[in-house]
Amino acid sequence: MDLISRLRSIWPVAALLGSGALLAGAHAFQRLGGLAPCPLCLQQREWHWAVVGVALIALALRFTPLNRPRLAASVLGVVLLGAAGMAFYHVGVEQGWFVATCEANFDLGDIQAFDPNATLVAPTCTTPAWTMFGISMAGYNAIISFLLALASFLVAFMPEQRNG
């Protein structure tokens, strides 16, 4: 069994772990780092939740006659490409390439105590909450999602290696 065939059989797990790690990182920055997500950040998460859902369906079908590893990898690739596109759009908004109207919605459960003298700062889509090496979280999400999408399409469309 060649490498691509082995990857094809476990690809839903790899995609699940990749998107799960991105979601875990986003939630850690929010809950532990205190960085409130803007509306575009939250929309990026929805794409990764979709990857998780597709991967779980592919895993559930794995031991049934409906198992289609190439189709699963293709669908995962399309959803990951959507995630990359959404993240790229957010980077474009941060950089001023695109204009977006972002209205922050607050969860009333997150409000601890009312302080009339406190400054209320709503997260904006145009200002990155965090950067490393000049790349925002949306930028890293775009890069990682795009690479996962490429890997997914590679796994889906690479031919089987014939021995002999």
Side-chain angles (χ1 to χ4, degrees), residues 70-86:
R70 286 180 185 267
L71 178 61
S74 298
V75 173
L76 286 165
V78 168
V79 179
L80 285 161
L81 201 56
M86 181 71 228

Side-chain angles (χ1 to χ4, degrees), residues 30-31 35-37 105-113:
Q30 179 181 348
R31 298 293 180 197
L35 300 177
N105 296 319
F106 291 96
D107 181 1
L108 294 178
D110 284 346
I111 298 174
Q112 300 298 326

Side-chain angles (χ1 to χ4, degrees), residues 92-111:
V93 170
E94 290 173 345
Q95 297 298 317
W97 303 333
F98 310 120
V99 177
T101 302
C102 294
E103 297 177 9
N105 296 319
F106 291 96
D107 181 1
L108 294 178
D110 284 346
I111 298 174

Side-chain angles (χ1 to χ4, degrees), residues 53-80:
V54 170
L56 289 174
I57 290 168
L59 289 171
L61 296 175
R62 190 170 176 192
F63 300 105
T64 72
L66 299 174
N67 184 34
R68 300 288 182 270
R70 286 180 185 267
L71 178 61
S74 298
V75 173
L76 286 165
V78 168
V79 179
L80 285 161

